[in-house]
Amino acid sequence: LVTNGFQVIALTFEPGEKGVIHRPPRDPREGIMSRVLIERTVLVGLIISAGVICMFVYSLNQGASLEEARTVAVTTMVFFQFFQAVNSRSETESIFRLSPFGNPMLAYGLIASVLAHFGSIYLAPLQWVFHTRPIGADLWLQIIAVSLTVILAVEIDKGVRGRR
């Protein structure tokens, strides 16, 4: 909750999407979340769940302690949320077309969330509070690779929906 909070607040500073004023009004019966948003939420939720569980089980199978496997799982979740925050900058536009400096508050929020998470893993008092264990560079690379799949999936979804 702490590491994701920075990102959520930062996304409120995201500039409006191009052409939003020219879109037709939403159907008032649609509710708060559009069909596209619901479908994408389900897609992202399934990817994140599968990735976190796979990394947890993988860690255990590699001989990690339960606390280390939990740390890997939580770290995977944090990085999935990190990348999903970047995805959330636009519902339709590819993140590769958006300026990385278009929302400096998001960059600051992402840095703050990563630093807070690093602190919970590598600072002894916080390790004691959160029951975390340090993880090695090999696991970091795997966590980042697995977490990046959310960007790939959402970019494919945006591309497919854009062609319709």
Side-chain angles (χ1 to χ4, degrees):
L1 292 174
V2 171
T3 58
N4 199 26
F6 296 121
Q7 299 162 17
V8 170
I9 292 168
L11 281 170
T12 64
F13 294 95
E14 187 66 32
E17 290 187 59
K18 294 177 185 173
V20 73
I21 195 73
H22 301 294
R23 292 183 194 163
R26 288 181 35 184
D27 183 345
R29 294 171 290 170
E30 191 174 76
I32 294 174
M33 290 180 61
S34 68
R35 180 182 172 105
V36 171
L37 193 53
I38 291 169
E39 290 170 357
R40 191 164 294 150
T41 300
V42 170
L43 171 69
V44 167
L46 290 172
I47 291 168
I48 291 174
S49 299
V52 169
I53 291 168
C54 286
M55 287 302 295
F56 178 76
V57 170
Y58 173 80
S59 298
L60 288 175
N61 288 340
Q62 295 299 309
S65 68
L66 183 58
E67 286 182 333
E68 185 179 1
R70 286 179 184 156
T71 302
V72 168
V74 168
T75 302
T76 304
M77 174 70 82
V78 166
F79 275 81
F80 265 123
Q81 293 299 329
F82 179 98
F83 294 125
Q84 183 54 23
V86 175
N87 274 340
S88 298
R89 292 185 61 202
S90 172
E91 188 176 318
T92 57
E93 187 88 24
S94 169
I95 62 166
F96 302 110
R97 291 191 181 139
L98 299 173
S99 168
F101 307 108
N103 183 352
M105 294 303 291
L106 182 59
Y108 299 139
L110 294 173
I111 291 167
S113 70
V114 169
L115 290 176
H117 189 68
F118 282 175
S120 73
I121 294 175
Y122 295 107
L123 296 177
L126 294 177
Q127 286 176 343
W128 180 80
V129 169
F130 294 109
H131 301 281
T132 58
R133 295 291 173 263
I135 52 180
D138 58 328
L139 277 173
W140 274 108
L141 292 175
Q142 291 169 3
I143 288 167
I144 291 170
V146 167
S147 301
L148 279 169
T149 61
V150 77
I151 287 181
L152 177 64
V154 171
E155 286 296 310
I156 290 170
D157 184 55
K158 287 178 183 180
V160 168
R161 290 180 191 280
R163 290 190 186 131
R164 288 187 195 164

